[in-house]
Amino acid sequence: MLPLLQHTLDKKEHNLSETEDHLAQLFKLTQDERNEMLSSGKQTRFSNRVGWAKQHLVKAGLLESPRRSVFQISERGGQALSKKPDRIDMVFLKH
């Protein structure tokens, strides 16, 4: 979740597609890794994980969604990043 939140630090609006591209480059994922499907066969594992990370960050108030399919960092998200966390996980979000 930390790399996703860091990606939004520019305070611009982002969507999942461009965020997935950015994160895939950041993690140096191969095309095969990006295309790996969930057992349901309806979504890639990577898209699923990025989507869930975004949802958790929105629910915790670190991201906000000004309109459908668009998100950006919130003031609270900026404050969280200013503390320079090593990681953001579910334990971090509960605080």
Side-chain angles (χ1 to χ4, degrees):
M1 286 184 254
L2 180 58
L4 193 158
L5 190 59
Q6 289 171 327
H7 175 61
T8 65
L9 194 53
D10 61 8
K11 298 183 181 180
K12 294 180 182 177
E13 294 182 347
H14 297 274
N15 63 50
L16 279 176
S17 177
E18 60 94 2
T19 300
E20 286 176 17
D21 289 343
H22 170 80
L23 294 174
Q25 289 177 358
L26 179 71
F27 292 124
K28 296 179 172 71
L29 297 182
T30 66
Q31 200 59 46
D32 285 342
E33 290 169 327
R34 283 195 71 176
N35 292 336
E36 181 184 340
M37 299 296 282
L38 293 171
S39 59
S40 68
K42 295 183 179 188
Q43 186 181 28
T44 65
R45 183 175 309 279
F46 184 66
S47 292
N48 179 270
R49 297 304 186 261
V50 173
W52 276 110
K54 182 206 127 214
Q55 280 304 114
H56 288 302
L57 291 168
V58 168
K59 211 167 191 168
L62 302 182
L63 290 178
E64 54 192 21
S65 186
R67 61 184 190 281
R68 185 183 169 114
S69 301
V70 173
F71 55 92
Q72 64 191 78
I73 196 165
S74 67
E75 184 177 329
R76 187 173 180 182
Q79 291 169 351
L81 285 180
S82 73
K83 296 176 184 175
K84 302 200 184 308
D86 292 331
R87 65 183 293 152
I88 295 180
D89 55 17
M90 296 305 285
V91 173
F92 181 95
L93 294 180
K94 287 182 182 179
H95 295 288

